[in-house]
PDB file of all heavy atoms in Angstrom:
ATOM      1  N   SER A 138      -1.820  -3.095   7.584  1.00 95.00           N
ATOM      2  CA  SER A 138      -3.085  -3.052   8.311  1.00 95.00           C
ATOM      3  C   SER A 138      -3.875  -1.844   7.853  1.00 95.00           C
ATOM      4  O   SER A 138      -3.324  -0.938   7.219  1.00 95.00           O
ATOM      5  CB  SER A 138      -2.844  -2.996   9.825  1.00 95.00           C
ATOM      6  OG  SER A 138      -2.121  -1.836  10.163  1.00 95.00           O
ATOM      7  N   GLY A 139      -5.175  -1.859   8.170  1.00 96.00           N
ATOM      8  CA  GLY A 139      -5.992  -0.687   7.905  1.00 96.00           C
ATOM      9  C   GLY A 139      -6.967  -0.804   6.754  1.00 96.00           C
ATOM     10  O   GLY A 139      -7.754   0.117   6.519  1.00 96.00           O
ATOM     11  N   GLY A 140      -6.952  -1.903   6.022  1.00 95.00           N
ATOM     12  CA  GLY A 140      -7.911  -2.052   4.938  1.00 95.00           C
ATOM     13  C   GLY A 140      -9.306  -2.318   5.460  1.00 95.00           C
ATOM     14  O   GLY A 140      -9.521  -2.484   6.664  1.00 95.00           O
ATOM     15  N   GLY A 141     -10.272  -2.354   4.538  1.00 97.00           N
ATOM     16  CA  GLY A 141     -11.633  -2.630   4.942  1.00 97.00           C
ATOM     17  C   GLY A 141     -12.634  -2.137   3.932  1.00 97.00           C
ATOM     18  O   GLY A 141     -12.293  -1.812   2.789  1.00 97.00           O
ATOM     19  N   LEU A 142     -13.881  -2.087   4.375  1.00 98.00           N
ATOM     20  CA  LEU A 142     -14.992  -1.641   3.537  1.00 98.00           C
ATOM     21  C   LEU A 142     -15.356  -0.215   3.912  1.00 98.00           C
ATOM     22  O   LEU A 142     -15.524   0.093   5.103  1.00 98.00           O
ATOM     23  CB  LEU A 142     -16.204  -2.561   3.747  1.00 98.00           C
ATOM     24  CG  LEU A 142     -17.512  -2.153   3.074  1.00 98.00           C
ATOM     25  CD1 LEU A 142     -17.365  -2.184   1.555  1.00 98.00           C
ATOM     26  CD2 LEU A 142     -18.636  -3.073   3.533  1.00 98.00           C
ATOM     27  N   VAL A 143     -15.485   0.631   2.908  1.00 98.00           N
ATOM     28  CA  VAL A 143     -15.823   2.032   3.148  1.00 98.00           C
ATOM     29  C   VAL A 143     -16.766   2.504   2.053  1.00 98.00           C
ATOM     30  O   VAL A 143     -16.717   2.004   0.916  1.00 98.00           O
ATOM     31  CB  VAL A 143     -14.547   2.896   3.213  1.00 98.00           C
ATOM     32  CG1 VAL A 143     -13.816   2.897   1.876  1.00 98.00           C
ATOM     33  CG2 VAL A 143     -14.846   4.305   3.678  1.00 98.00           C
ATOM     34  N   GLN A 144     -17.620   3.444   2.381  1.00 98.00           N
ATOM     35  CA  GLN A 144     -18.539   3.996   1.396  1.00 98.00           C
ATOM     36  C   GLN A 144     -17.826   5.002   0.490  1.00 98.00           C
ATOM     37  O   GLN A 144     -16.820   5.606   0.900  1.00 98.00           O
ATOM     38  CB  GLN A 144     -19.714   4.673   2.088  1.00 98.00           C
ATOM     39  CG  GLN A 144     -20.622   3.699   2.821  1.00 98.00           C
ATOM     40  CD  GLN A 144     -21.862   4.390   3.384  1.00 98.00           C
ATOM     41  OE1 GLN A 144     -21.904   5.601   3.528  1.00 98.00           O
ATOM     42  NE2 GLN A 144     -22.878   3.599   3.698  1.00 98.00           N
ATOM     43  N   PRO A 145     -18.325   5.201  -0.709  1.00 98.00           N
ATOM     44  CA  PRO A 145     -17.740   6.224  -1.576  1.00 98.00           C
ATOM     45  C   PRO A 145     -17.709   7.580  -0.874  1.00 98.00           C
ATOM     46  O   PRO A 145     -18.661   7.964  -0.193  1.00 98.00           O
ATOM     47  CB  PRO A 145     -18.695   6.243  -2.776  1.00 98.00           C
ATOM     48  CG  PRO A 145     -19.260   4.861  -2.812  1.00 98.00           C
ATOM     49  CD  PRO A 145     -19.407   4.451  -1.377  1.00 98.00           C
ATOM     50  N   GLY A 146     -16.581   8.254  -1.036  1.00 98.00           N
ATOM     51  CA  GLY A 146     -16.389   9.529  -0.363  1.00 98.00           C
ATOM     52  C   GLY A 146     -15.742   9.410   1.002  1.00 98.00           C
ATOM     53  O   GLY A 146     -15.345  10.422   1.596  1.00 98.00           O
ATOM     54  N   GLY A 147     -15.610   8.196   1.494  1.00 98.00           N
ATOM     55  CA  GLY A 147     -15.030   7.965   2.812  1.00 98.00           C
ATOM     56  C   GLY A 147     -13.519   7.939   2.788  1.00 98.00           C
ATOM     57  O   GLY A 147     -12.883   8.176   1.761  1.00 98.00           O
ATOM     58  N   SER A 148     -12.943   7.648   3.949  1.00 98.00           N
ATOM     59  CA  SER A 148     -11.490   7.645   4.115  1.00 98.00           C
ATOM     60  C   SER A 148     -11.018   6.368   4.791  1.00 98.00           C
ATOM     61  O   SER A 148     -11.768   5.748   5.563  1.00 98.00           O
ATOM     62  CB  SER A 148     -11.061   8.848   4.976  1.00 98.00           C
ATOM     63  OG  SER A 148     -11.397  10.059   4.353  1.00 98.00           O
ATOM     64  N   LEU A 149      -9.802   6.016   4.495  1.00 98.00           N
ATOM     65  CA  LEU A 149      -9.122   4.916   5.161  1.00 98.00           C
ATOM     66  C   LEU A 149      -7.654   5.289   5.302  1.00 98.00           C
ATOM     67  O   LEU A 149      -7.117   6.040   4.481  1.00 98.00           O
ATOM     68  CB  LEU A 149      -9.214   3.616   4.366  1.00 98.00           C
ATOM     69  CG  LEU A 149     -10.487   2.773   4.441  1.00 98.00           C
ATOM     70  CD1 LEU A 149     -10.380   1.589   3.508  1.00 98.00           C
ATOM     71  CD2 LEU A 149     -10.775   2.325   5.856  1.00 98.00           C
ATOM     72  N   ARG A 150      -7.011   4.724   6.331  1.00 98.00           N
ATOM     73  CA  ARG A 150      -5.582   4.917   6.515  1.00 98.00           C
ATOM     74  C   ARG A 150      -4.911   3.553   6.582  1.00 98.00           C
ATOM     75  O   ARG A 150      -5.212   2.759   7.486  1.00 98.00           O
ATOM     76  CB  ARG A 150      -5.288   5.704   7.785  1.00 98.00           C
ATOM     77  CG  ARG A 150      -3.823   6.109   7.931  1.00 98.00           C
ATOM     78  CD  ARG A 150      -3.546   6.619   9.325  1.00 98.00           C
ATOM     79  NE  ARG A 150      -2.279   7.325   9.411  1.00 98.00           N
ATOM     80  CZ  ARG A 150      -1.545   7.387  10.517  1.00 98.00           C
ATOM     81  NH1 ARG A 150      -1.961   6.777  11.620  1.00 98.00           N
ATOM     82  NH2 ARG A 150      -0.404   8.066  10.530  1.00 98.00           N
ATOM     83  N   LEU A 151      -4.033   3.300   5.643  1.00 98.00           N
ATOM     84  CA  LEU A 151      -3.275   2.064   5.637  1.00 98.00           C
ATOM     85  C   LEU A 151      -1.936   2.277   6.331  1.00 98.00           C
ATOM     86  O   LEU A 151      -1.338   3.350   6.222  1.00 98.00           O
ATOM     87  CB  LEU A 151      -3.034   1.580   4.209  1.00 98.00           C
ATOM     88  CG  LEU A 151      -4.265   1.401   3.323  1.00 98.00           C
ATOM     89  CD1 LEU A 151      -3.838   0.865   1.953  1.00 98.00           C
ATOM     90  CD2 LEU A 151      -5.287   0.503   3.964  1.00 98.00           C
ATOM     91  N   SER A 152      -1.481   1.246   7.023  1.00 98.00           N
ATOM     92  CA  SER A 152      -0.179   1.275   7.675  1.00 98.00           C
ATOM     93  C   SER A 152       0.616   0.046   7.261  1.00 98.00           C
ATOM     94  O   SER A 152       0.049  -1.007   6.993  1.00 98.00           O
ATOM     95  CB  SER A 152      -0.318   1.281   9.203  1.00 98.00           C
ATOM     96  OG  SER A 152      -1.036   2.394   9.649  1.00 98.00           O
ATOM     97  N   CYS A 153       1.935   0.204   7.242  1.00 97.00           N
ATOM     98  CA  CYS A 153       2.806  -0.916   6.913  1.00 97.00           C
ATOM     99  C   CYS A 153       4.069  -0.788   7.753  1.00 97.00           C
ATOM    100  O   CYS A 153       4.811   0.181   7.610  1.00 97.00           O
ATOM    101  CB  CYS A 153       3.144  -0.919   5.437  1.00 97.00           C
ATOM    102  SG  CYS A 153       4.385  -2.142   4.967  1.00 97.00           S
ATOM    103  N   ALA A 154       4.289  -1.782   8.596  1.00 95.00           N
ATOM    104  CA  ALA A 154       5.468  -1.788   9.460  1.00 95.00           C
ATOM    105  C   ALA A 154       6.487  -2.773   8.923  1.00 95.00           C
ATOM    106  O   ALA A 154       6.164  -3.941   8.671  1.00 95.00           O
ATOM    107  CB  ALA A 154       5.070  -2.157  10.883  1.00 95.00           C
ATOM    108  N   ALA A 155       7.709  -2.311   8.766  1.00 93.00           N
ATOM    109  CA  ALA A 155       8.792  -3.150   8.268  1.00 93.00           C
ATOM    110  C   ALA A 155       9.701  -3.553   9.424  1.00 93.00           C
ATOM    111  O   ALA A 155       9.968  -2.760  10.322  1.00 93.00           O
ATOM    112  CB  ALA A 155       9.597  -2.402   7.213  1.00 93.00           C
ATOM    113  N   SER A 156      10.169  -4.784   9.386  1.00 91.00           N
ATOM    114  CA  SER A 156      11.089  -5.264  10.402  1.00 91.00           C
ATOM    115  C   SER A 156      12.181  -6.103   9.737  1.00 91.00           C
ATOM    116  O   SER A 156      11.992  -6.620   8.637  1.00 91.00           O
ATOM    117  CB  SER A 156      10.360  -6.106  11.455  1.00 91.00           C
ATOM    118  OG  SER A 156       9.744  -7.236  10.853  1.00 91.00           O
ATOM    119  N   GLY A 157      13.316  -6.219  10.426  1.00 89.00           N
ATOM    120  CA  GLY A 157      14.411  -7.007   9.882  1.00 89.00           C
ATOM    121  C   GLY A 157      15.607  -6.139   9.558  1.00 89.00           C
ATOM    122  O   GLY A 157      15.804  -5.077  10.129  1.00 89.00           O
ATOM    123  N   SER A 158      16.393  -6.582   8.594  1.00 80.00           N
ATOM    124  CA  SER A 158      17.631  -5.899   8.212  1.00 80.00           C
ATOM    125  C   SER A 158      17.321  -4.775   7.232  1.00 80.00           C
ATOM    126  O   SER A 158      17.377  -4.950   6.024  1.00 80.00           O
ATOM    127  CB  SER A 158      18.612  -6.896   7.589  1.00 80.00           C
ATOM    128  OG  SER A 158      18.931  -7.930   8.501  1.00 80.00           O
ATOM    129  N   ILE A 159      17.001  -3.625   7.792  1.00 78.00           N
ATOM    130  CA  ILE A 159      16.593  -2.483   6.973  1.00 78.00           C
ATOM    131  C   ILE A 159      17.645  -1.394   7.086  1.00 78.00           C
ATOM    132  O   ILE A 159      17.993  -0.983   8.185  1.00 78.00           O
ATOM    133  CB  ILE A 159      15.235  -1.943   7.430  1.00 78.00           C
ATOM    134  CG1 ILE A 159      14.185  -3.042   7.320  1.00 78.00           C
ATOM    135  CG2 ILE A 159      14.832  -0.735   6.600  1.00 78.00           C
ATOM    136  CD1 ILE A 159      12.900  -2.720   8.022  1.00 78.00           C
ATOM    137  N   PHE A 160      18.123  -0.956   5.964  1.00 74.00           N
ATOM    138  CA  PHE A 160      19.087   0.114   5.957  1.00 74.00           C
ATOM    139  C   PHE A 160      18.381   1.436   5.746  1.00 74.00           C
ATOM    140  O   PHE A 160      17.287   1.489   5.219  1.00 74.00           O
ATOM    141  CB  PHE A 160      20.131  -0.126   4.860  1.00 74.00           C
ATOM    142  CG  PHE A 160      20.889  -1.402   5.056  1.00 74.00           C
ATOM    143  CD1 PHE A 160      20.553  -2.535   4.346  1.00 74.00           C
ATOM    144  CD2 PHE A 160      21.921  -1.481   5.975  1.00 74.00           C
ATOM    145  CE1 PHE A 160      21.231  -3.718   4.525  1.00 74.00           C
ATOM    146  CE2 PHE A 160      22.611  -2.663   6.160  1.00 74.00           C
ATOM    147  CZ  PHE A 160      22.263  -3.794   5.435  1.00 74.00           C
ATOM    148  N   SER A 161      19.020   2.490   6.140  1.00 71.00           N
ATOM    149  CA  SER A 161      18.353   3.789   6.124  1.00 71.00           C
ATOM    150  C   SER A 161      18.036   4.254   4.709  1.00 71.00           C
ATOM    151  O   SER A 161      17.063   4.947   4.491  1.00 71.00           O
ATOM    152  CB  SER A 161      19.213   4.839   6.833  1.00 71.00           C
ATOM    153  OG  SER A 161      20.465   4.973   6.168  1.00 71.00           O
ATOM    154  N   ILE A 162      18.868   3.881   3.734  1.00 73.00           N
ATOM    155  CA  ILE A 162      18.623   4.340   2.376  1.00 73.00           C
ATOM    156  C   ILE A 162      17.637   3.379   1.713  1.00 73.00           C
ATOM    157  O   ILE A 162      17.974   2.258   1.352  1.00 73.00           O
ATOM    158  CB  ILE A 162      19.931   4.396   1.571  1.00 73.00           C
ATOM    159  CG1 ILE A 162      20.906   5.344   2.254  1.00 73.00           C
ATOM    160  CG2 ILE A 162      19.653   4.843   0.153  1.00 73.00           C
ATOM    161  CD1 ILE A 162      22.262   5.389   1.619  1.00 73.00           C
ATOM    162  N   ASN A 163      16.400   3.814   1.616  1.00 88.00           N
ATOM    163  CA  ASN A 163      15.400   2.945   1.015  1.00 88.00           C
ATOM    164  C   ASN A 163      14.212   3.767   0.548  1.00 88.00           C
ATOM    165  O   ASN A 163      14.087   4.944   0.864  1.00 88.00           O
ATOM    166  CB  ASN A 163      14.932   1.883   2.027  1.00 88.00           C
ATOM    167  CG  ASN A 163      14.291   2.501   3.244  1.00 88.00           C
ATOM    168  OD1 ASN A 163      13.171   2.999   3.169  1.00 88.00           O
ATOM    169  ND2 ASN A 163      14.969   2.465   4.373  1.00 88.00           N
ATOM    170  N   VAL A 164      13.375   3.109  -0.207  1.00 94.00           N
ATOM    171  CA  VAL A 164      12.132   3.707  -0.672  1.00 94.00           C
ATOM    172  C   VAL A 164      10.998   2.784  -0.253  1.00 94.00           C
ATOM    173  O   VAL A 164      11.082   1.566  -0.407  1.00 94.00           O
ATOM    174  CB  VAL A 164      12.124   3.884  -2.208  1.00 94.00           C
ATOM    175  CG1 VAL A 164      10.773   4.416  -2.679  1.00 94.00           C
ATOM    176  CG2 VAL A 164      13.245   4.822  -2.636  1.00 94.00           C
ATOM    177  N   MET A 165       9.956   3.358   0.293  1.00 95.00           N
ATOM    178  CA  MET A 165       8.762   2.590   0.644  1.00 95.00           C
ATOM    179  C   MET A 165       7.599   3.091  -0.181  1.00 95.00           C
ATOM    180  O   MET A 165       7.582   4.252  -0.622  1.00 95.00           O
ATOM    181  CB  MET A 165       8.448   2.716   2.133  1.00 95.00           C
ATOM    182  CG  MET A 165       9.568   2.218   3.035  1.00 95.00           C
ATOM    183  SD  MET A 165       9.105   2.144   4.781  1.00 95.00           S
ATOM    184  CE  MET A 165       8.136   0.625   4.812  1.00 95.00           C
ATOM    185  N   GLY A 166       6.638   2.233  -0.414  1.00 96.00           N
ATOM    186  CA  GLY A 166       5.522   2.651  -1.244  1.00 96.00           C
ATOM    187  C   GLY A 166       4.340   1.717  -1.165  1.00 96.00           C
ATOM    188  O   GLY A 166       4.355   0.723  -0.427  1.00 96.00           O
ATOM    189  N   TRP A 167       3.340   2.087  -1.919  1.00 98.00           N
ATOM    190  CA  TRP A 167       2.100   1.312  -2.003  1.00 98.00           C
ATOM    191  C   TRP A 167       1.756   1.058  -3.466  1.00 98.00           C
ATOM    192  O   TRP A 167       1.806   1.972  -4.286  1.00 98.00           O
ATOM    193  CB  TRP A 167       0.949   2.056  -1.334  1.00 98.00           C
ATOM    194  CG  TRP A 167       1.088   2.188   0.142  1.00 98.00           C
ATOM    195  CD1 TRP A 167       1.652   3.223   0.822  1.00 98.00           C
ATOM    196  CD2 TRP A 167       0.665   1.249   1.124  1.00 98.00           C
ATOM    197  NE1 TRP A 167       1.612   2.984   2.180  1.00 98.00           N
ATOM    198  CE2 TRP A 167       0.999   1.776   2.388  1.00 98.00           C
ATOM    199  CE3 TRP A 167       0.024   0.011   1.072  1.00 98.00           C
ATOM    200  CZ2 TRP A 167       0.724   1.115   3.582  1.00 98.00           C
ATOM    201  CZ3 TRP A 167      -0.252  -0.655   2.263  1.00 98.00           C
ATOM    202  CH2 TRP A 167       0.101  -0.106   3.500  1.00 98.00           C
ATOM    203  N   TYR A 168       1.418  -0.182  -3.757  1.00 98.00           N
ATOM    204  CA  TYR A 168       0.876  -0.587  -5.036  1.00 98.00           C
ATOM    205  C   TYR A 168      -0.527  -1.123  -4.785  1.00 98.00           C
ATOM    206  O   TYR A 168      -0.888  -1.427  -3.652  1.00 98.00           O
ATOM    207  CB  TYR A 168       1.730  -1.683  -5.678  1.00 98.00           C
ATOM    208  CG  TYR A 168       2.997  -1.192  -6.329  1.00 98.00           C
ATOM    209  CD1 TYR A 168       4.077  -0.752  -5.570  1.00 98.00           C
ATOM    210  CD2 TYR A 168       3.134  -1.200  -7.718  1.00 98.00           C
ATOM    211  CE1 TYR A 168       5.244  -0.312  -6.170  1.00 98.00           C
ATOM    212  CE2 TYR A 168       4.299  -0.770  -8.332  1.00 98.00           C
ATOM    213  CZ  TYR A 168       5.350  -0.328  -7.547  1.00 98.00           C
ATOM    214  OH  TYR A 168       6.503   0.095  -8.148  1.00 98.00           O
ATOM    215  N   ARG A 169      -1.280  -1.257  -5.863  1.00 98.00           N
ATOM    216  CA  ARG A 169      -2.587  -1.888  -5.740  1.00 98.00           C
ATOM    217  C   ARG A 169      -2.874  -2.724  -6.977  1.00 98.00           C
ATOM    218  O   ARG A 169      -2.335  -2.477  -8.059  1.00 98.00           O
ATOM    219  CB  ARG A 169      -3.695  -0.854  -5.533  1.00 98.00           C
ATOM    220  CG  ARG A 169      -3.972   0.037  -6.734  1.00 98.00           C
ATOM    221  CD  ARG A 169      -4.982   1.106  -6.356  1.00 98.00           C
ATOM    222  NE  ARG A 169      -5.319   1.957  -7.506  1.00 98.00           N
ATOM    223  CZ  ARG A 169      -6.088   3.040  -7.409  1.00 98.00           C
ATOM    224  NH1 ARG A 169      -6.591   3.415  -6.248  1.00 98.00           N
ATOM    225  NH2 ARG A 169      -6.355   3.747  -8.499  1.00 98.00           N
ATOM    226  N   GLN A 170      -3.730  -3.717  -6.765  1.00 98.00           N
ATOM    227  CA  GLN A 170      -4.127  -4.579  -7.872  1.00 98.00           C
ATOM    228  C   GLN A 170      -5.614  -4.872  -7.758  1.00 98.00           C
ATOM    229  O   GLN A 170      -6.061  -5.478  -6.774  1.00 98.00           O
ATOM    230  CB  GLN A 170      -3.328  -5.877  -7.879  1.00 98.00           C
ATOM    231  CG  GLN A 170      -3.585  -6.738  -9.099  1.00 98.00           C
ATOM    232  CD  GLN A 170      -2.566  -7.840  -9.262  1.00 98.00           C
ATOM    233  OE1 GLN A 170      -1.883  -8.230  -8.331  1.00 98.00           O
ATOM    234  NE2 GLN A 170      -2.441  -8.352 -10.486  1.00 98.00           N
ATOM    235  N   ALA A 171      -6.342  -4.411  -8.761  1.00 97.00           N
ATOM    236  CA  ALA A 171      -7.775  -4.682  -8.838  1.00 97.00           C
ATOM    237  C   ALA A 171      -7.998  -5.973  -9.616  1.00 97.00           C
ATOM    238  O   ALA A 171      -7.143  -6.375 -10.414  1.00 97.00           O
ATOM    239  CB  ALA A 171      -8.487  -3.515  -9.513  1.00 97.00           C
ATOM    240  N   PRO A 172      -9.144  -6.611  -9.419  1.00 92.00           N
ATOM    241  CA  PRO A 172      -9.427  -7.867 -10.143  1.00 92.00           C
ATOM    242  C   PRO A 172      -9.319  -7.679 -11.648  1.00 92.00           C
ATOM    243  O   PRO A 172      -9.894  -6.744 -12.206  1.00 92.00           O
ATOM    244  CB  PRO A 172     -10.861  -8.185  -9.718  1.00 92.00           C
ATOM    245  CG  PRO A 172     -11.012  -7.554  -8.387  1.00 92.00           C
ATOM    246  CD  PRO A 172     -10.203  -6.287  -8.458  1.00 92.00           C
ATOM    247  N   GLY A 173      -8.559  -8.561 -12.290  1.00 94.00           N
ATOM    248  CA  GLY A 173      -8.426  -8.513 -13.733  1.00 94.00           C
ATOM    249  C   GLY A 173      -7.493  -7.439 -14.254  1.00 94.00           C
ATOM    250  O   GLY A 173      -7.387  -7.255 -15.465  1.00 94.00           O
ATOM    251  N   LYS A 174      -6.817  -6.728 -13.348  1.00 96.00           N
ATOM    252  CA  LYS A 174      -5.927  -5.651 -13.773  1.00 96.00           C
ATOM    253  C   LYS A 174      -4.516  -5.893 -13.266  1.00 96.00           C
ATOM    254  O   LYS A 174      -4.284  -6.675 -12.344  1.00 96.00           O
ATOM    255  CB  LYS A 174      -6.444  -4.301 -13.267  1.00 96.00           C
ATOM    256  CG  LYS A 174      -7.776  -3.889 -13.865  1.00 96.00           C
ATOM    257  CD  LYS A 174      -8.134  -2.472 -13.458  1.00 96.00           C
ATOM    258  CE  LYS A 174      -9.435  -2.028 -14.109  1.00 96.00           C
ATOM    259  NZ  LYS A 174      -9.788  -0.621 -13.735  1.00 96.00           N
ATOM    260  N   GLN A 175      -3.570  -5.191 -13.892  1.00 97.00           N
ATOM    261  CA  GLN A 175      -2.188  -5.305 -13.464  1.00 97.00           C
ATOM    262  C   GLN A 175      -1.953  -4.505 -12.186  1.00 97.00           C
ATOM    263  O   GLN A 175      -2.651  -3.533 -11.905  1.00 97.00           O
ATOM    264  CB  GLN A 175      -1.259  -4.792 -14.571  1.00 97.00           C
ATOM    265  CG  GLN A 175      -1.206  -5.695 -15.793  1.00 97.00           C
ATOM    266  CD  GLN A 175      -0.156  -5.245 -16.789  1.00 97.00           C
ATOM    267  OE1 GLN A 175       0.160  -4.064 -16.878  1.00 97.00           O
ATOM    268  NE2 GLN A 175       0.391  -6.188 -17.531  1.00 97.00           N
ATOM    269  N   ARG A 176      -0.940  -4.938 -11.444  1.00 97.00           N
ATOM    270  CA  ARG A 176      -0.566  -4.187 -10.259  1.00 97.00           C
ATOM    271  C   ARG A 176      -0.004  -2.838 -10.688  1.00 97.00           C
ATOM    272  O   ARG A 176       0.776  -2.742 -11.642  1.00 97.00           O
ATOM    273  CB  ARG A 176       0.473  -4.969  -9.458  1.00 97.00           C
ATOM    274  CG  ARG A 176       0.751  -4.436  -8.080  1.00 97.00           C
ATOM    275  CD  ARG A 176       1.660  -5.355  -7.296  1.00 97.00           C
ATOM    276  NE  ARG A 176       1.035  -6.658  -7.045  1.00 97.00           N
ATOM    277  CZ  ARG A 176       1.550  -7.570  -6.228  1.00 97.00           C
ATOM    278  NH1 ARG A 176       2.693  -7.339  -5.606  1.00 97.00           N
ATOM    279  NH2 ARG A 176       0.944  -8.721  -6.055  1.00 97.00           N
ATOM    280  N   GLU A 177      -0.389  -1.783  -9.963  1.00 97.00           N
ATOM    281  CA  GLU A 177       0.043  -0.439 -10.325  1.00 97.00           C
ATOM    282  C   GLU A 177       0.534   0.317  -9.100  1.00 97.00           C
ATOM    283  O   GLU A 177       0.058   0.097  -7.978  1.00 97.00           O
ATOM    284  CB  GLU A 177      -1.110   0.339 -10.978  1.00 97.00           C
ATOM    285  CG  GLU A 177      -2.304   0.557 -10.091  1.00 97.00           C
ATOM    286  CD  GLU A 177      -3.397   1.382 -10.762  1.00 97.00           C
ATOM    287  OE1 GLU A 177      -3.257   1.746 -11.938  1.00 97.00           O
ATOM    288  OE2 GLU A 177      -4.407   1.665 -10.073  1.00 97.00           O
ATOM    289  N   LEU A 178       1.472   1.218  -9.342  1.00 97.00           N
ATOM    290  CA  LEU A 178       1.986   2.070  -8.273  1.00 97.00           C
ATOM    291  C   LEU A 178       0.914   3.069  -7.855  1.00 97.00           C
ATOM    292  O   LEU A 178       0.275   3.691  -8.699  1.00 97.00           O
ATOM    293  CB  LEU A 178       3.236   2.808  -8.733  1.00 97.00           C
ATOM    294  CG  LEU A 178       3.796   3.843  -7.768  1.00 97.00           C
ATOM    295  CD1 LEU A 178       4.377   3.173  -6.527  1.00 97.00           C
ATOM    296  CD2 LEU A 178       4.839   4.711  -8.453  1.00 97.00           C
TER     297      LEU A 178
END
């Protein structure tokens, strides 16, 4: 959650809640993919 439209110079806060069988040893992260480009970390 938390995406949207913002003006240049603005701020946004994204959130991601995980549920299910999650063990304590893990890595969480964010990737993005722009139109016509590869997904990147």
Side-chain angles (χ1 to χ4, degrees):
S138 61
L142 173 64
V143 64
Q144 293 186 342
S148 298
L149 280 176
R150 188 192 195 209
L151 305 182
S152 300
C153 173
S156 60
S158 300
I159 301 167
F160 299 100
S161 61
I162 301 175
N163 61 73
V164 176
M165 300 188 78
W167 293 93
Y168 282 72
R169 68 186 182 186
Q170 187 166 20
K174 295 187 177 181
Q175 290 187 331
R176 191 173 296 189
E177 62 178 3
L178 174 69

